[in-house]
Structure formats: structure tokens, C-alpha cells
Amino acid sequence: MATSRLDDPLDIGGVTLRNRLYRAPVLECAGTGPDAPERLAAELEPAARAGTGLVCQGATIVRETGGCAAPGMTRIADPEFAASLSAVTERIHDYGSAIAVQLEYGGLRSMETWHAAYRRDHPELQQLAVSRPPRPLRLLDALGFLDYDARVMTTDEVYDLAADFGRSAAMAVDAGYDVVHVAGANMGVVHQFLSPFYNRRDDEFGDGVRFLEAVSDEVRSRAGDVPLMTKVPAETAAPPGIRRRLTEDDALGICRRLDDAGYDALVPVSGSVFWDASIVRGSFPARAWRDDRYRDGYAAAFGGPLRARLVELGNRIEAAWYDFDPAWNADLCRRVRDAVSVPVLCEGGIRERGDIDRLLGDACDAVGMARPFYAEPELPARLLGRDVSADTRVVCENCNNCAVPQATGAPGVCRTPAVLARAGTLRMEGAYDTDAETADADEADPEG
């Protein structure tokens, strides 16, 4: 395959991206209220203004109730609300970027299982389960850290859920979204279908790929030929003792089938069977755990101060277990790219322009970043361009202080003073200025 450059365009299912850098999905915590479109636009617009090819809106729930994995997630289930999101897509398109919506449903990862205050306030919510919860999750239920009232879906209910993905996709396309991104990893319901750790069904959906095929059929029948992409997990970071899991070879086979099924791009990722630190990796977020502003929120989420401290301890152990490895998905992406005919997108620990240049055309066709955008919303302004030096690096330190407070409903923002100081210095130096901003400044002050 020919070597590609970051500034080269890329076609995904008939939509041409102006370059190969994308803002990967992260939680915007915008909710589904009347202010949600403006909050989403405020989060996503800077990346488009700074030149990124594709902006991915974070996990968006396909039903009006249940299924949220974290506080403040947006839902696309109500047509009137969905139509209001055209205000978001129009602002992204104004800068020449494309926008994807990532569709999700939590299943066993939903807030009604892990967020103590939420499940107390919503006792009527059951979790939709692919199969009976695995033994380790039942143990956490018995210990009081989780609370399962799971209903294993019938075959008809699985088809109904696939149809909800299709309906949400159609509403999103009508609102102007260019790409539909199915959330296939991070312990969401699609991951639960794919993983033998969760899926022990004896109907047609015992073959987990069958659910993604059903989703594709529903999206195509309701939303037309919109480009369709998904994450594909390999559970190579699963804790010791977990025998039923997805290997890299399993993930490779899934990708081949999805290529045949008509998916237009694939995002292979390596993680665990659980929603744990393998997803983000990096340092233990001590500052976020010690922050008094979130102490009550942690207690409410995890069932009291003592249990919050135990969750903190678990987070500390996970952070030590899952080392930060730059571009940790690259090897898996490379194997997949050699085996499929559609573009392969790589994300996870990509932090430097030199690494990006080495990955493109080798391991992947486009590169994405997520957490670095919390610290630098206009990050593409520093990374794009043919004369950018190979040592140009994000300011993000992978400390995860941005992520942990989201359990309390706090927004995803950088909270590390040293990182914010570096971003502030770069801003004063004009590192995030775009051509459009420079032109506006010259017009306002032609003598300056």
C-alpha cells in the first residue's frame, strides 16, 4: 500500500475527509436538554475550526431510557431533539470538517448497575443483557459494588435493539451527520455481543458478529448509504484468569466479516473484558481523586465514602497494571489493515507527529486522539501541515485527571495545572491560530 501523509484526503464510504487526523470519541457530557446542541457545538467546533478531517461526537444512546454508561450522555431517540442537532453539524460543516455520531447502548455497563445514586433514583430500570452476567460481575453484585437486575434479551428483543440503532442513525443523518460510528468496544452492548466472556447465547446471536450485521442492515434500510464504521475489540489486556475472551486472531476474523458485511471503516482496539483503565492507560489520577469538589459525587456514585475509597484503590492498581504504551493499538491495526479492503483507523496513545507519520500507510489510514483534545481543543492547528516537525507533541500527560470526575457528572476537561499552563503558553504564542482567525485579525487591523 502506498504511503500516506497526514494532510492527504481520505475517502470513507463516499465521504471525503480533508485529511487523516480525527477527533476520536470522548464524553462531552452535554445531556439531552434544550442546551445540548449548543454545548455539543462548543465542545466539537474548535477541532473543526483548527482543521481536523473528522470530528466524532462521543457515545450517544439509541433509546430514551436506560443504557447510559456515564452521567450526561446524549440520546438520539426523540425526533424533535435529533432535528435540533442540525445546529451542531452545520457549525462543523462551516469549517469543512465531517462529523460522525457514535451510537451506543450500555447493557451491563449502564449506570443503573454501577452508579449507586442513579440506581436508587431509577429502581424500575433493568439492564438489557446478552446473557446472564458473568461470574466476576455477579460477585461484585453480591459485594454491593454493582447492582444487577438484568433481563436477557429474547431474539426478538435483540432485533428491536438493532432497529433502534437504525432509527437513531436515520435521525442523525437527517440532522446532517456524515458518518455513523457504532460503539463496538469499552464494554458497551455491542462489545458484549462480540465477547465470549459475555455472550453464551444459543440463538443466531450467539455469533456476536451477527448483531453488528443486523445493525448494518437496519442502518442501511433506514438511513441509506451513510458511511458506517465501528470499533472492534481484542481483549488482550484482560486480567489473569479470564479464559473466555477475544484474542487478536478473533478480532482479525471479526474485521474480515465486517468488511464483507459492508462496514466502511474499522477501528481495532486492544483492551480488557471490563470497562477499566485499559481503555485510557496512563498515570493514576491522584489529583482528581483528592479534589474536594468531587468527594461527595464519588460517594454518591460508588455507594458511600468507604466504597469510593475502595474504587480509588482499584483504580490505583489498574493504573499500575496497564502501562501507557505509545500507539498501543498499532500492531493490531497493522494486522487488520493487511487483511481488509476498507480504511483502518488507529487511536490509543498517539501523541507525537513523528509517530503519526510512521503509522500512516503502515498500520493505518487515519489517526485519532481523544483525551489530548480536553487540554487542546484546537490541537489540529499544531499537528497539521507538511512542515510540522516530527517532535511536535501534545501537551497531554496521560494523567487521567480529566476522566475520573466524569463519574460524578463533571465535564471532561483538563484539570492538571502544568498541562494547562503549557497550553496557555502555546495559545499566547499563536500556536492555535488558524488561517481564518489570522485573516479576521488582519481585516480588523489592516495596519497591524
Side-chain angles (χ1 to χ4, degrees), residues 338-360:
D338 288 341
V340 301
S341 63
V342 297
V344 171
L345 282 57
C346 184
E347 56 194 59
I350 302 169
R351 298 292 185 261
E352 194 171 276
R353 175 59 193 262
D355 291 337
I356 291 172
D357 293 336
R358 284 187 289 272
L359 290 168
L360 284 172

Side-chain angles (χ1 to χ4, degrees), residues 269-394:
V269 294
S270 178
S272 174
V273 297
F274 302 119
W275 185 31
D276 58 22
S278 69
I279 296 169
V280 291
R281 311 197 187 190
S283 304
F284 171 68
R287 175 179 292 276
W289 280 110
R290 290 196 306 262
D291 195 321
D292 289 338
R293 292 175 297 173
Y294 309 116
R295 194 175 302 278
D296 290 344
Y298 293 144
F302 301 124
L306 176 59
R307 286 184 177 166
R309 292 295 299 272
L310 291 173
V311 174
E312 178 185 350
L313 175 61
N315 189 194
R316 183 183 293 274
I317 294 170
E318 288 178 1
W321 184 268
Y322 297 116
D323 293 333
F324 184 87
D325 183 17
W328 64 76
N329 293 313
D331 289 342
L332 176 60
C333 288
R334 187 176 293 107
R335 290 190 65 192
V336 171
R337 189 169 185 262
D338 288 341
V340 301
S341 63
V342 297
V344 171
L345 282 57
C346 184
E347 56 194 59
I350 302 169
R351 298 292 185 261
E352 194 171 276
R353 175 59 193 262
D355 291 337
I356 291 172
D357 293 336
R358 284 187 289 272
L359 290 168
L360 284 172
D362 170 32
C364 63
D365 301 284
V367 294
M369 298 182 188
R371 285 173 293 165
F373 277 90
Y374 283 151
E376 300 180 87
E378 295 165 313
L379 175 60
R382 291 208 299 121
L383 291 177
L384 291 165
R386 294 186 179 269
D387 58 350
V388 176
S389 65
D391 61 357
T392 301
R393 184 178 179 82
V394 305

Side-chain angles (χ1 to χ4, degrees), residues 43-350:
E43 288 284 331
L44 302 175
E45 182 182 348
R49 183 170 62 245
T52 195
L54 177 67
V55 178
C56 294
Q57 180 176 311
T60 304
I61 306 303
V62 300
R63 287 189 168 176
E64 291 192 26
T65 58
C68 279
M73 293 180 75
T74 301
R75 301 177 185 271
I76 294 185
D78 173 66
E80 183 176 351
F81 173 77
S84 73
L85 295 176
S86 62
V88 181
T89 61
E90 288 170 1
R91 283 168 66 172
I92 301 304
H93 292 153
D94 283 345
Y95 294 101
S97 294
I99 181 169
V101 61
Q102 186 185 51
L103 299 181
E104 166 76 295
Y105 196 79
L108 295 180
R109 181 188 149 190
S110 301
M111 283 179 66
E112 50 266 30
T113 70
W114 68 267
H115 194 292
Y118 184 85
R119 65 177 179 253
R120 184 182 61 245
D121 295 340
H122 299 83
E124 77 288 355
L125 288 179
Q126 284 185 297
Q127 307 90 38
L128 295 183
V130 173
S131 300
R132 184 188 183 200
R135 184 173 298 158
L137 299 187
R138 299 201 306 271
L139 175 61
L140 290 172
D141 184 7
L143 293 173
F145 288 98
L146 300 177
D147 188 359
Y148 281 113
D149 182 20
R151 187 178 81 251
V152 177
M153 288 179 280
T154 66
T155 302
D156 286 344
E157 287 175 324
V158 175
Y159 274 109
D160 289 343
L161 182 59
D164 286 332
F165 275 84
R167 278 187 281 267
S168 292
M171 286 186 272
V173 169
D174 287 344
Y177 288 88
D178 304 289
V179 178
V180 171
H181 184 334
V182 178
N186 300 354
M187 200 186 152
V189 78
V190 177
H191 184 175
Q192 292 162 37
F193 272 105
L194 293 172
S195 172
F197 180 72
Y198 295 98
N199 190 342
R200 296 175 300 282
R201 299 180 67 93
D202 58 8
D203 64 357
E204 64 183 286
F205 292 104
D207 173 358
V209 183
R210 177 71 193 99
F211 181 69
L212 275 172
E213 292 171 343
V215 168
S216 175
D217 291 342
E218 290 288 347
V219 171
R220 298 303 183 202
S221 68
R222 298 172 187 272
D225 289 331
V226 58
L228 184 61
M229 59 187 282
T230 187
K231 283 189 176 181
V232 178
E235 296 168 337
T236 54
I242 302 294
R243 293 187 297 273
R244 296 171 59 91
R245 61 182 180 85
L246 291 166
T247 66
E248 281 200 1
D249 287 343
D250 294 329
L252 192 63
I254 292 169
C255 288
R256 288 193 179 104
R257 286 186 57 183
L258 295 178
D259 185 9
D260 292 339
Y263 277 77
D264 298 296
L266 300 168
V267 190
V269 294
S270 178
S272 174
V273 297
F274 302 119
W275 185 31
D276 58 22
S278 69
I279 296 169
V280 291
R281 311 197 187 190
S283 304
F284 171 68
R287 175 179 292 276
W289 280 110
R290 290 196 306 262
D291 195 321
D292 289 338
R293 292 175 297 173
Y294 309 116
R295 194 175 302 278
D296 290 344
Y298 293 144
F302 301 124
L306 176 59
R307 286 184 177 166
R309 292 295 299 272
L310 291 173
V311 174
E312 178 185 350
L313 175 61
N315 189 194
R316 183 183 293 274
I317 294 170
E318 288 178 1
W321 184 268
Y322 297 116
D323 293 333
F324 184 87
D325 183 17
W328 64 76
N329 293 313
D331 289 342
L332 176 60
C333 288
R334 187 176 293 107
R335 290 190 65 192
V336 171
R337 189 169 185 262
D338 288 341
V340 301
S341 63
V342 297
V344 171
L345 282 57
C346 184
E347 56 194 59
I350 302 169

